[in-house]
PDB file of all heavy atoms in Angstrom:
ATOM      1  N   LEU A   1       0.820  -1.211   0.024  1.00  0.00           N
ATOM      2  CA  LEU A   1       0.003  -0.047  -0.020  1.00  0.00           C
ATOM      3  C   LEU A   1       0.851   1.268  -0.005  1.00  0.00           C
ATOM      4  O   LEU A   1       0.608   2.215  -0.716  1.00  0.00           O
ATOM      5  CB  LEU A   1      -0.943  -0.015   1.207  1.00  0.00           C
ATOM      6  CG  LEU A   1      -2.056   0.980   1.194  1.00  0.00           C
ATOM      7  CD1 LEU A   1      -2.925   0.884  -0.071  1.00  0.00           C
ATOM      8  CD2 LEU A   1      -2.943   0.788   2.418  1.00  0.00           C
ATOM      9  N   SER A   2       1.942   1.236   0.759  1.00  0.00           N
ATOM     10  CA  SER A   2       2.861   2.384   0.795  1.00  0.00           C
ATOM     11  C   SER A   2       3.489   2.608  -0.546  1.00  0.00           C
ATOM     12  O   SER A   2       3.627   3.720  -1.032  1.00  0.00           O
ATOM     13  CB  SER A   2       3.920   2.144   1.848  1.00  0.00           C
ATOM     14  OG  SER A   2       3.449   2.088   3.140  1.00  0.00           O
ATOM     15  N   GLN A   3       3.906   1.461  -1.219  1.00  0.00           N
ATOM     16  CA  GLN A   3       4.535   1.572  -2.561  1.00  0.00           C
ATOM     17  C   GLN A   3       3.517   2.206  -3.518  1.00  0.00           C
ATOM     18  O   GLN A   3       3.850   3.073  -4.327  1.00  0.00           O
ATOM     19  CB  GLN A   3       4.932   0.190  -3.001  1.00  0.00           C
ATOM     20  CG  GLN A   3       6.152  -0.357  -2.314  1.00  0.00           C
ATOM     21  CD  GLN A   3       6.421  -1.823  -2.649  1.00  0.00           C
ATOM     22  OE1 GLN A   3       5.500  -2.698  -2.678  1.00  0.00           O
ATOM     23  NE2 GLN A   3       7.675  -2.114  -2.982  1.00  0.00           N
ATOM     24  N   LEU A   4       2.264   1.747  -3.422  1.00  0.00           N
ATOM     25  CA  LEU A   4       1.201   2.257  -4.321  1.00  0.00           C
ATOM     26  C   LEU A   4       0.994   3.748  -4.064  1.00  0.00           C
ATOM     27  O   LEU A   4       0.728   4.502  -5.018  1.00  0.00           O
ATOM     28  CB  LEU A   4      -0.096   1.445  -4.172  1.00  0.00           C
ATOM     29  CG  LEU A   4      -0.059  -0.009  -4.584  1.00  0.00           C
ATOM     30  CD1 LEU A   4      -1.349  -0.738  -4.232  1.00  0.00           C
ATOM     31  CD2 LEU A   4       0.267  -0.153  -6.087  1.00  0.00           C
ATOM     32  N   GLN A   5       1.006   4.140  -2.816  1.00  0.00           N
ATOM     33  CA  GLN A   5       0.817   5.540  -2.491  1.00  0.00           C
ATOM     34  C   GLN A   5       1.866   6.444  -3.073  1.00  0.00           C
ATOM     35  O   GLN A   5       1.652   7.581  -3.524  1.00  0.00           O
ATOM     36  CB  GLN A   5       0.682   5.748  -0.996  1.00  0.00           C
ATOM     37  CG  GLN A   5      -0.645   5.245  -0.452  1.00  0.00           C
ATOM     38  CD  GLN A   5      -0.691   5.197   1.062  1.00  0.00           C
ATOM     39  OE1 GLN A   5       0.346   4.991   1.699  1.00  0.00           O
ATOM     40  NE2 GLN A   5      -1.845   5.251   1.650  1.00  0.00           N
ATOM     41  N   VAL A   6       3.138   5.946  -3.108  1.00  0.00           N
ATOM     42  CA  VAL A   6       4.241   6.709  -3.633  1.00  0.00           C
ATOM     43  C   VAL A   6       4.145   6.723  -5.156  1.00  0.00           C
ATOM     44  O   VAL A   6       4.325   7.729  -5.859  1.00  0.00           O
ATOM     45  CB  VAL A   6       5.636   6.131  -3.195  1.00  0.00           C
ATOM     46  CG1 VAL A   6       6.734   6.785  -3.872  1.00  0.00           C
ATOM     47  CG2 VAL A   6       5.761   6.332  -1.641  1.00  0.00           C
ATOM     48  N   ILE A   7       3.976   5.542  -5.771  1.00  0.00           N
ATOM     49  CA  ILE A   7       4.014   5.389  -7.207  1.00  0.00           C
ATOM     50  C   ILE A   7       2.740   6.014  -7.898  1.00  0.00           C
ATOM     51  O   ILE A   7       2.811   6.633  -8.939  1.00  0.00           O
ATOM     52  CB  ILE A   7       4.155   3.903  -7.617  1.00  0.00           C
ATOM     53  CG1 ILE A   7       5.541   3.417  -7.121  1.00  0.00           C
ATOM     54  CG2 ILE A   7       4.063   3.740  -9.149  1.00  0.00           C
ATOM     55  CD1 ILE A   7       5.651   1.897  -7.175  1.00  0.00           C
ATOM     56  N   ASN A   8       1.616   5.866  -7.144  1.00  0.00           N
ATOM     57  CA  ASN A   8       0.293   6.412  -7.595  1.00  0.00           C
ATOM     58  C   ASN A   8      -0.022   5.939  -8.999  1.00  0.00           C
ATOM     59  O   ASN A   8      -0.285   6.746  -9.919  1.00  0.00           O
ATOM     60  CB  ASN A   8       0.342   7.923  -7.540  1.00  0.00           C
ATOM     61  CG  ASN A   8      -1.036   8.540  -7.622  1.00  0.00           C
ATOM     62  OD1 ASN A   8      -2.009   7.852  -7.364  1.00  0.00           O
ATOM     63  ND2 ASN A   8      -1.086   9.720  -8.130  1.00  0.00           N
ATOM     64  N   PRO A   9      -0.079   4.599  -9.206  1.00  0.00           N
ATOM     65  CA  PRO A   9      -0.410   4.066 -10.557  1.00  0.00           C
ATOM     66  C   PRO A   9      -1.889   4.263 -10.917  1.00  0.00           C
ATOM     67  O   PRO A   9      -2.737   4.477 -10.004  1.00  0.00           O
ATOM     68  CB  PRO A   9      -0.040   2.576 -10.467  1.00  0.00           C
ATOM     69  CG  PRO A   9      -0.371   2.247  -9.057  1.00  0.00           C
ATOM     70  CD  PRO A   9       0.047   3.498  -8.248  1.00  0.00           C
ATOM     71  N   LYS A  10      -2.183   4.135 -12.188  1.00  0.00           N
ATOM     72  CA  LYS A  10      -3.575   4.104 -12.592  1.00  0.00           C
ATOM     73  C   LYS A  10      -4.103   2.686 -12.655  1.00  0.00           C
ATOM     74  O   LYS A  10      -5.309   2.470 -12.553  1.00  0.00           O
ATOM     75  CB  LYS A  10      -3.689   4.718 -13.988  1.00  0.00           C
ATOM     76  CG  LYS A  10      -3.159   6.146 -14.119  1.00  0.00           C
ATOM     77  CD  LYS A  10      -4.287   7.077 -14.408  1.00  0.00           C
ATOM     78  CE  LYS A  10      -3.853   8.488 -14.712  1.00  0.00           C
ATOM     79  NZ  LYS A  10      -2.936   9.141 -13.826  1.00  0.00           N
ATOM     80  N   LEU A  11      -3.195   1.717 -12.780  1.00  0.00           N
ATOM     81  CA  LEU A  11      -3.553   0.314 -13.025  1.00  0.00           C
ATOM     82  C   LEU A  11      -2.652  -0.623 -12.255  1.00  0.00           C
ATOM     83  O   LEU A  11      -1.414  -0.458 -12.302  1.00  0.00           O
ATOM     84  CB  LEU A  11      -3.559  -0.001 -14.502  1.00  0.00           C
ATOM     85  CG  LEU A  11      -4.091  -1.355 -14.944  1.00  0.00           C
ATOM     86  CD1 LEU A  11      -5.639  -1.344 -14.873  1.00  0.00           C
ATOM     87  CD2 LEU A  11      -3.690  -1.658 -16.365  1.00  0.00           C
ATOM     88  N   ILE A  12      -3.243  -1.612 -11.609  1.00  0.00           N
ATOM     89  CA  ILE A  12      -2.481  -2.736 -11.042  1.00  0.00           C
ATOM     90  C   ILE A  12      -2.779  -3.960 -11.917  1.00  0.00           C
ATOM     91  O   ILE A  12      -3.963  -4.283 -12.095  1.00  0.00           O
ATOM     92  CB  ILE A  12      -2.877  -3.054  -9.592  1.00  0.00           C
ATOM     93  CG1 ILE A  12      -2.560  -1.885  -8.654  1.00  0.00           C
ATOM     94  CG2 ILE A  12      -2.291  -4.352  -9.109  1.00  0.00           C
ATOM     95  CD1 ILE A  12      -3.124  -2.056  -7.252  1.00  0.00           C
ATOM     96  N   VAL A  13      -1.747  -4.551 -12.470  1.00  0.00           N
ATOM     97  CA  VAL A  13      -1.886  -5.831 -13.170  1.00  0.00           C
ATOM     98  C   VAL A  13      -1.561  -6.963 -12.153  1.00  0.00           C
ATOM     99  O   VAL A  13      -0.414  -7.079 -11.716  1.00  0.00           O
ATOM    100  CB  VAL A  13      -1.003  -5.948 -14.400  1.00  0.00           C
ATOM    101  CG1 VAL A  13      -1.199  -7.322 -15.104  1.00  0.00           C
ATOM    102  CG2 VAL A  13      -1.294  -4.796 -15.403  1.00  0.00           C
ATOM    103  N   THR A  14      -2.587  -7.666 -11.726  1.00  0.00           N
ATOM    104  CA  THR A  14      -2.348  -8.773 -10.778  1.00  0.00           C
ATOM    105  C   THR A  14      -1.969  -9.982 -11.614  1.00  0.00           C
ATOM    106  O   THR A  14      -2.591 -10.303 -12.667  1.00  0.00           O
ATOM    107  CB  THR A  14      -3.595  -9.118  -9.907  1.00  0.00           C
ATOM    108  OG1 THR A  14      -4.720  -9.359 -10.753  1.00  0.00           O
ATOM    109  CG2 THR A  14      -3.910  -7.964  -8.941  1.00  0.00           C
ATOM    110  N   LEU A  15      -0.928 -10.733 -11.129  1.00  0.00           N
ATOM    111  CA  LEU A  15      -0.470 -11.907 -11.858  1.00  0.00           C
ATOM    112  C   LEU A  15      -0.828 -13.106 -11.020  1.00  0.00           C
ATOM    113  O   LEU A  15      -0.283 -13.280  -9.845  1.00  0.00           O
ATOM    114  CB  LEU A  15       1.054 -11.803 -12.049  1.00  0.00           C
ATOM    115  CG  LEU A  15       1.545 -10.676 -12.942  1.00  0.00           C
ATOM    116  CD1 LEU A  15       3.014 -10.515 -12.908  1.00  0.00           C
ATOM    117  CD2 LEU A  15       1.062 -10.880 -14.383  1.00  0.00           C
ATOM    118  N   GLY A  16      -1.782 -13.854 -11.429  1.00  0.00           N
ATOM    119  CA  GLY A  16      -2.289 -14.999 -10.695  1.00  0.00           C
ATOM    120  C   GLY A  16      -3.423 -14.624  -9.751  1.00  0.00           C
ATOM    121  O   GLY A  16      -3.799 -13.450  -9.631  1.00  0.00           O
ATOM    122  N   SER A  17      -3.963 -15.616  -9.071  1.00  0.00           N
ATOM    123  CA  SER A  17      -5.159 -15.426  -8.243  1.00  0.00           C
ATOM    124  C   SER A  17      -4.851 -14.949  -6.833  1.00  0.00           C
ATOM    125  O   SER A  17      -5.706 -14.308  -6.193  1.00  0.00           O
ATOM    126  CB  SER A  17      -6.026 -16.663  -8.228  1.00  0.00           C
ATOM    127  OG  SER A  17      -5.343 -17.711  -7.683  1.00  0.00           O
ATOM    128  N   ALA A  18      -3.659 -15.193  -6.283  1.00  0.00           N
ATOM    129  CA  ALA A  18      -3.437 -14.839  -4.881  1.00  0.00           C
ATOM    130  C   ALA A  18      -3.541 -13.347  -4.626  1.00  0.00           C
ATOM    131  O   ALA A  18      -4.215 -12.892  -3.724  1.00  0.00           O
ATOM    132  CB  ALA A  18      -2.084 -15.384  -4.404  1.00  0.00           C
ATOM    133  N   SER A  19      -2.772 -12.549  -5.451  1.00  0.00           N
ATOM    134  CA  SER A  19      -2.797 -11.123  -5.262  1.00  0.00           C
ATOM    135  C   SER A  19      -4.167 -10.580  -5.585  1.00  0.00           C
ATOM    136  O   SER A  19      -4.690  -9.650  -4.881  1.00  0.00           O
ATOM    137  CB  SER A  19      -1.714 -10.425  -6.086  1.00  0.00           C
ATOM    138  OG  SER A  19      -1.816 -10.770  -7.422  1.00  0.00           O
ATOM    139  N   LEU A  20      -4.845 -11.096  -6.583  1.00  0.00           N
ATOM    140  CA  LEU A  20      -6.160 -10.680  -6.981  1.00  0.00           C
ATOM    141  C   LEU A  20      -7.177 -10.904  -5.805  1.00  0.00           C
ATOM    142  O   LEU A  20      -7.922 -10.039  -5.403  1.00  0.00           O
ATOM    143  CB  LEU A  20      -6.647 -11.314  -8.217  1.00  0.00           C
ATOM    144  CG  LEU A  20      -8.052 -10.899  -8.714  1.00  0.00           C
ATOM    145  CD1 LEU A  20      -8.079  -9.463  -9.103  1.00  0.00           C
ATOM    146  CD2 LEU A  20      -8.431 -11.802  -9.937  1.00  0.00           C
ATOM    147  N   SER A  21      -7.163 -12.130  -5.260  1.00  0.00           N
ATOM    148  CA  SER A  21      -8.048 -12.504  -4.121  1.00  0.00           C
ATOM    149  C   SER A  21      -7.839 -11.573  -2.977  1.00  0.00           C
ATOM    150  O   SER A  21      -8.825 -11.089  -2.390  1.00  0.00           O
ATOM    151  CB  SER A  21      -7.777 -13.920  -3.689  1.00  0.00           C
ATOM    152  OG  SER A  21      -8.007 -14.860  -4.731  1.00  0.00           O
ATOM    153  N   TYR A  22      -6.568 -11.308  -2.685  1.00  0.00           N
ATOM    154  CA  TYR A  22      -6.325 -10.487  -1.472  1.00  0.00           C
ATOM    155  C   TYR A  22      -6.817  -9.043  -1.698  1.00  0.00           C
ATOM    156  O   TYR A  22      -7.543  -8.468  -0.861  1.00  0.00           O
ATOM    157  CB  TYR A  22      -4.833 -10.481  -1.061  1.00  0.00           C
ATOM    158  CG  TYR A  22      -4.635  -9.703   0.178  1.00  0.00           C
ATOM    159  CD1 TYR A  22      -4.890 -10.352   1.403  1.00  0.00           C
ATOM    160  CD2 TYR A  22      -4.347  -8.316   0.115  1.00  0.00           C
ATOM    161  CE1 TYR A  22      -4.804  -9.575   2.588  1.00  0.00           C
ATOM    162  CE2 TYR A  22      -4.258  -7.606   1.282  1.00  0.00           C
ATOM    163  CZ  TYR A  22      -4.494  -8.236   2.531  1.00  0.00           C
ATOM    164  OH  TYR A  22      -4.408  -7.551   3.700  1.00  0.00           O
ATOM    165  N   LEU A  23      -6.504  -8.451  -2.856  1.00  0.00           N
ATOM    166  CA  LEU A  23      -6.876  -7.101  -3.102  1.00  0.00           C
ATOM    167  C   LEU A  23      -8.378  -6.919  -3.198  1.00  0.00           C
ATOM    168  O   LEU A  23      -8.944  -5.916  -2.754  1.00  0.00           O
ATOM    169  CB  LEU A  23      -6.244  -6.547  -4.427  1.00  0.00           C
ATOM    170  CG  LEU A  23      -4.673  -6.433  -4.372  1.00  0.00           C
ATOM    171  CD1 LEU A  23      -4.131  -5.968  -5.710  1.00  0.00           C
ATOM    172  CD2 LEU A  23      -4.225  -5.488  -3.265  1.00  0.00           C
ATOM    173  N   LEU A  24      -9.030  -7.945  -3.710  1.00  0.00           N
ATOM    174  CA  LEU A  24     -10.521  -7.838  -3.829  1.00  0.00           C
ATOM    175  C   LEU A  24     -11.271  -8.337  -2.608  1.00  0.00           C
ATOM    176  O   LEU A  24     -12.490  -8.294  -2.576  1.00  0.00           O
ATOM    177  CB  LEU A  24     -10.990  -8.598  -5.090  1.00  0.00           C
ATOM    178  CG  LEU A  24     -10.538  -8.029  -6.450  1.00  0.00           C
ATOM    179  CD1 LEU A  24     -11.169  -8.851  -7.550  1.00  0.00           C
ATOM    180  CD2 LEU A  24     -10.880  -6.553  -6.569  1.00  0.00           C
ATOM    181  N   GLU A  25     -10.467  -8.903  -1.653  1.00  0.00           N
ATOM    182  CA  GLU A  25     -11.033  -9.503  -0.423  1.00  0.00           C
ATOM    183  C   GLU A  25     -12.075 -10.543  -0.726  1.00  0.00           C
ATOM    184  O   GLU A  25     -13.183 -10.626  -0.199  1.00  0.00           O
ATOM    185  CB  GLU A  25     -11.621  -8.376   0.461  1.00  0.00           C
ATOM    186  CG  GLU A  25     -10.614  -7.341   0.873  1.00  0.00           C
ATOM    187  CD  GLU A  25     -11.212  -6.082   1.568  1.00  0.00           C
ATOM    188  OE1 GLU A  25     -12.250  -6.271   2.230  1.00  0.00           O
ATOM    189  OE2 GLU A  25     -10.656  -5.015   1.468  1.00  0.00           O
ATOM    190  N   LYS A  26     -11.746 -11.403  -1.665  1.00  0.00           N
ATOM    191  CA  LYS A  26     -12.598 -12.507  -2.051  1.00  0.00           C
ATOM    192  C   LYS A  26     -11.789 -13.818  -2.144  1.00  0.00           C
ATOM    193  O   LYS A  26     -10.655 -13.800  -2.708  1.00  0.00           O
ATOM    194  CB  LYS A  26     -13.248 -12.286  -3.449  1.00  0.00           C
ATOM    195  CG  LYS A  26     -14.219 -11.187  -3.444  1.00  0.00           C
ATOM    196  CD  LYS A  26     -14.831 -11.066  -4.864  1.00  0.00           C
ATOM    197  CE  LYS A  26     -15.842  -9.931  -4.910  1.00  0.00           C
ATOM    198  NZ  LYS A  26     -16.207  -9.565  -6.251  1.00  0.00           N
ATOM    199  N   LYS A  27     -12.331 -14.892  -1.547  1.00  0.00           N
ATOM    200  CA  LYS A  27     -11.632 -16.157  -1.679  1.00  0.00           C
ATOM    201  C   LYS A  27     -12.096 -16.918  -2.896  1.00  0.00           C
ATOM    202  O   LYS A  27     -13.168 -16.641  -3.439  1.00  0.00           O
ATOM    203  CB  LYS A  27     -11.935 -16.974  -0.429  1.00  0.00           C
ATOM    204  CG  LYS A  27     -11.211 -16.427   0.818  1.00  0.00           C
ATOM    205  CD  LYS A  27     -11.256 -17.356   1.970  1.00  0.00           C
ATOM    206  CE  LYS A  27     -10.415 -16.795   3.071  1.00  0.00           C
ATOM    207  NZ  LYS A  27     -10.840 -17.035   4.394  1.00  0.00           N
ATOM    208  N   ASN A  28     -11.356 -17.909  -3.280  1.00  0.00           N
ATOM    209  CA  ASN A  28     -11.710 -18.828  -4.395  1.00  0.00           C
ATOM    210  C   ASN A  28     -12.031 -18.072  -5.695  1.00  0.00           C
ATOM    211  O   ASN A  28     -12.994 -18.398  -6.400  1.00  0.00           O
ATOM    212  CB  ASN A  28     -12.882 -19.690  -4.003  1.00  0.00           C
ATOM    213  CG  ASN A  28     -12.607 -20.492  -2.730  1.00  0.00           C
ATOM    214  OD1 ASN A  28     -11.494 -20.927  -2.497  1.00  0.00           O
ATOM    215  ND2 ASN A  28     -13.647 -20.587  -1.883  1.00  0.00           N
ATOM    216  N   ILE A  29     -11.231 -17.113  -6.019  1.00  0.00           N
ATOM    217  CA  ILE A  29     -11.442 -16.341  -7.261  1.00  0.00           C
ATOM    218  C   ILE A  29     -10.938 -17.186  -8.430  1.00  0.00           C
ATOM    219  O   ILE A  29      -9.897 -17.860  -8.346  1.00  0.00           O
ATOM    220  CB  ILE A  29     -10.617 -15.042  -7.187  1.00  0.00           C
ATOM    221  CG1 ILE A  29     -11.521 -14.002  -6.477  1.00  0.00           C
ATOM    222  CG2 ILE A  29     -10.219 -14.535  -8.577  1.00  0.00           C
ATOM    223  CD1 ILE A  29     -10.886 -12.591  -6.394  1.00  0.00           C
ATOM    224  N   SER A  30     -11.642 -17.208  -9.506  1.00  0.00           N
ATOM    225  CA  SER A  30     -11.246 -17.907 -10.741  1.00  0.00           C
ATOM    226  C   SER A  30     -10.560 -16.868 -11.650  1.00  0.00           C
ATOM    227  O   SER A  30     -11.197 -16.008 -12.224  1.00  0.00           O
ATOM    228  CB  SER A  30     -12.470 -18.535 -11.421  1.00  0.00           C
ATOM    229  OG  SER A  30     -12.077 -18.922 -12.751  1.00  0.00           O
ATOM    230  N   ILE A  31      -9.265 -16.995 -11.752  1.00  0.00           N
ATOM    231  CA  ILE A  31      -8.481 -16.139 -12.602  1.00  0.00           C
ATOM    232  C   ILE A  31      -8.952 -16.282 -14.063  1.00  0.00           C
ATOM    233  O   ILE A  31      -8.946 -15.319 -14.800  1.00  0.00           O
ATOM    234  CB  ILE A  31      -6.931 -16.343 -12.462  1.00  0.00           C
ATOM    235  CG1 ILE A  31      -6.164 -15.164 -13.108  1.00  0.00           C
ATOM    236  CG2 ILE A  31      -6.448 -17.660 -12.955  1.00  0.00           C
ATOM    237  CD1 ILE A  31      -6.142 -13.955 -12.335  1.00  0.00           C
ATOM    238  N   THR A  32      -9.341 -17.545 -14.432  1.00  0.00           N
ATOM    239  CA  THR A  32      -9.795 -17.795 -15.802  1.00  0.00           C
ATOM    240  C   THR A  32     -11.013 -16.979 -16.145  1.00  0.00           C
ATOM    241  O   THR A  32     -11.154 -16.482 -17.211  1.00  0.00           O
ATOM    242  CB  THR A  32     -10.119 -19.311 -15.957  1.00  0.00           C
ATOM    243  OG1 THR A  32      -8.986 -20.023 -15.519  1.00  0.00           O
ATOM    244  CG2 THR A  32     -10.373 -19.656 -17.424  1.00  0.00           C
ATOM    245  N   LYS A  33     -11.930 -16.802 -15.158  1.00  0.00           N
ATOM    246  CA  LYS A  33     -13.152 -16.010 -15.370  1.00  0.00           C
ATOM    247  C   LYS A  33     -12.904 -14.522 -15.299  1.00  0.00           C
ATOM    248  O   LYS A  33     -13.544 -13.671 -15.957  1.00  0.00           O
ATOM    249  CB  LYS A  33     -14.217 -16.367 -14.378  1.00  0.00           C
ATOM    250  CG  LYS A  33     -14.765 -17.745 -14.560  1.00  0.00           C
ATOM    251  CD  LYS A  33     -15.979 -17.988 -13.682  1.00  0.00           C
ATOM    252  CE  LYS A  33     -16.501 -19.383 -13.928  1.00  0.00           C
ATOM    253  NZ  LYS A  33     -16.768 -20.110 -12.690  1.00  0.00           N
ATOM    254  N   MET A  34     -11.917 -14.076 -14.492  1.00  0.00           N
ATOM    255  CA  MET A  34     -11.711 -12.628 -14.220  1.00  0.00           C
ATOM    256  C   MET A  34     -10.663 -11.999 -15.019  1.00  0.00           C
ATOM    257  O   MET A  34     -10.607 -10.810 -15.144  1.00  0.00           O
ATOM    258  CB  MET A  34     -11.499 -12.427 -12.734  1.00  0.00           C
ATOM    259  CG  MET A  34     -12.718 -12.866 -11.930  1.00  0.00           C
ATOM    260  SD  MET A  34     -12.578 -12.339 -10.212  1.00  0.00           S
ATOM    261  CE  MET A  34     -12.983 -10.643 -10.358  1.00  0.00           C
ATOM    262  N   ARG A  35      -9.777 -12.789 -15.642  1.00  0.00           N
ATOM    263  CA  ARG A  35      -8.596 -12.197 -16.353  1.00  0.00           C
ATOM    264  C   ARG A  35      -9.146 -11.380 -17.490  1.00  0.00           C
ATOM    265  O   ARG A  35     -10.235 -11.610 -18.079  1.00  0.00           O
ATOM    266  CB  ARG A  35      -7.679 -13.310 -16.887  1.00  0.00           C
ATOM    267  CG  ARG A  35      -8.354 -14.332 -17.727  1.00  0.00           C
ATOM    268  CD  ARG A  35      -7.710 -14.639 -19.035  1.00  0.00           C
ATOM    269  NE  ARG A  35      -7.745 -13.633 -20.024  1.00  0.00           N
ATOM    270  CZ  ARG A  35      -8.724 -13.338 -20.874  1.00  0.00           C
ATOM    271  NH1 ARG A  35      -9.843 -14.052 -20.841  1.00  0.00           N
ATOM    272  NH2 ARG A  35      -8.610 -12.420 -21.791  1.00  0.00           N
ATOM    273  N   GLY A  36      -8.383 -10.309 -17.832  1.00  0.00           N
ATOM    274  CA  GLY A  36      -8.698  -9.475 -18.906  1.00  0.00           C
ATOM    275  C   GLY A  36      -9.810  -8.481 -18.731  1.00  0.00           C
ATOM    276  O   GLY A  36     -10.182  -7.762 -19.640  1.00  0.00           O
ATOM    277  N   GLU A  37     -10.333  -8.431 -17.529  1.00  0.00           N
ATOM    278  CA  GLU A  37     -11.389  -7.428 -17.202  1.00  0.00           C
ATOM    279  C   GLU A  37     -10.844  -6.333 -16.353  1.00  0.00           C
ATOM    280  O   GLU A  37     -10.024  -6.519 -15.460  1.00  0.00           O
ATOM    281  CB  GLU A  37     -12.523  -8.104 -16.361  1.00  0.00           C
ATOM    282  CG  GLU A  37     -13.392  -8.989 -17.221  1.00  0.00           C
ATOM    283  CD  GLU A  37     -14.566  -9.508 -16.314  1.00  0.00           C
ATOM    284  OE1 GLU A  37     -15.074  -8.805 -15.433  1.00  0.00           O
ATOM    285  OE2 GLU A  37     -14.881 -10.735 -16.486  1.00  0.00           O
ATOM    286  N   ILE A  38     -11.304  -5.105 -16.614  1.00  0.00           N
ATOM    287  CA  ILE A  38     -10.862  -4.012 -15.775  1.00  0.00           C
ATOM    288  C   ILE A  38     -11.798  -3.906 -14.549  1.00  0.00           C
ATOM    289  O   ILE A  38     -13.063  -3.911 -14.731  1.00  0.00           O
ATOM    290  CB  ILE A  38     -10.857  -2.665 -16.531  1.00  0.00           C
ATOM    291  CG1 ILE A  38      -9.719  -2.696 -17.566  1.00  0.00           C
ATOM    292  CG2 ILE A  38     -10.721  -1.454 -15.597  1.00  0.00           C
ATOM    293  CD1 ILE A  38      -9.657  -1.515 -18.458  1.00  0.00           C
ATOM    294  N   ILE A  39     -11.256  -3.983 -13.384  1.00  0.00           N
ATOM    295  CA  ILE A  39     -12.076  -3.917 -12.125  1.00  0.00           C
ATOM    296  C   ILE A  39     -11.776  -2.643 -11.371  1.00  0.00           C
ATOM    297  O   ILE A  39     -10.570  -2.351 -11.130  1.00  0.00           O
ATOM    298  CB  ILE A  39     -11.718  -5.136 -11.257  1.00  0.00           C
ATOM    299  CG1 ILE A  39     -11.937  -6.489 -12.007  1.00  0.00           C
ATOM    300  CG2 ILE A  39     -12.467  -5.072  -9.922  1.00  0.00           C
ATOM    301  CD1 ILE A  39     -11.123  -7.618 -11.467  1.00  0.00           C
ATOM    302  N   HIS A  40     -12.717  -1.878 -11.138  1.00  0.00           N
ATOM    303  CA  HIS A  40     -12.504  -0.584 -10.366  1.00  0.00           C
ATOM    304  C   HIS A  40     -12.202  -0.971  -8.940  1.00  0.00           C
ATOM    305  O   HIS A  40     -13.006  -1.689  -8.295  1.00  0.00           O
ATOM    306  CB  HIS A  40     -13.719   0.363 -10.495  1.00  0.00           C
ATOM    307  CG  HIS A  40     -13.980   0.745 -11.929  1.00  0.00           C
ATOM    308  ND1 HIS A  40     -13.098   1.433 -12.662  1.00  0.00           N
ATOM    309  CD2 HIS A  40     -15.021   0.500 -12.691  1.00  0.00           C
ATOM    310  CE1 HIS A  40     -13.591   1.634 -13.848  1.00  0.00           C
ATOM    311  NE2 HIS A  40     -14.749   1.102 -13.923  1.00  0.00           N
ATOM    312  N   TRP A  41     -11.112  -0.525  -8.437  1.00  0.00           N
ATOM    313  CA  TRP A  41     -10.639  -0.886  -7.057  1.00  0.00           C
ATOM    314  C   TRP A  41     -10.856   0.289  -6.188  1.00  0.00           C
ATOM    315  O   TRP A  41     -11.983   0.793  -6.048  1.00  0.00           O
ATOM    316  CB  TRP A  41      -9.233  -1.432  -7.129  1.00  0.00           C
ATOM    317  CG  TRP A  41      -8.734  -1.977  -5.801  1.00  0.00           C
ATOM    318  CD1 TRP A  41      -9.334  -2.965  -5.069  1.00  0.00           C
ATOM    319  CD2 TRP A  41      -7.495  -1.672  -5.155  1.00  0.00           C
ATOM    320  NE1 TRP A  41      -8.585  -3.273  -3.978  1.00  0.00           N
ATOM    321  CE2 TRP A  41      -7.445  -2.512  -3.971  1.00  0.00           C
ATOM    322  CE3 TRP A  41      -6.486  -0.801  -5.363  1.00  0.00           C
ATOM    323  CZ2 TRP A  41      -6.440  -2.405  -3.121  1.00  0.00           C
ATOM    324  CZ3 TRP A  41      -5.422  -0.753  -4.487  1.00  0.00           C
ATOM    325  CH2 TRP A  41      -5.396  -1.563  -3.334  1.00  0.00           C
TER     326      TRP A  41
END
């Protein structure tokens, strides 16, 4: 979070389901279903 606050990116590209699950606060995320979609965070 500190890194993001300094860098201030417009987009996070999550690689794999672990980082995506954590950031979205959802378990059992299917990367196959969610990949390629822009999600407002």
Side-chain angles (χ1 to χ4, degrees):
L1 194 54
S2 297
Q3 289 172 312
L4 294 173
Q5 286 168 333
V6 172
I7 298 166
N8 194 24
K10 302 245 187 311
L11 188 73
I12 294 171
V13 177
T14 54
L15 298 169
S17 58
S19 53
L20 180 64
S21 297
Y22 185 82
L23 293 177
L24 296 184
E25 299 172 30
K26 290 182 181 168
K27 289 190 172 147
N28 306 321
I29 276 183
S30 165
I31 193 76
T32 308
K33 288 190 182 131
M34 297 190 76
R35 55 130 293 274
E37 283 184 40
I38 292 178
I39 301 156
H40 299 299
W41 189 51

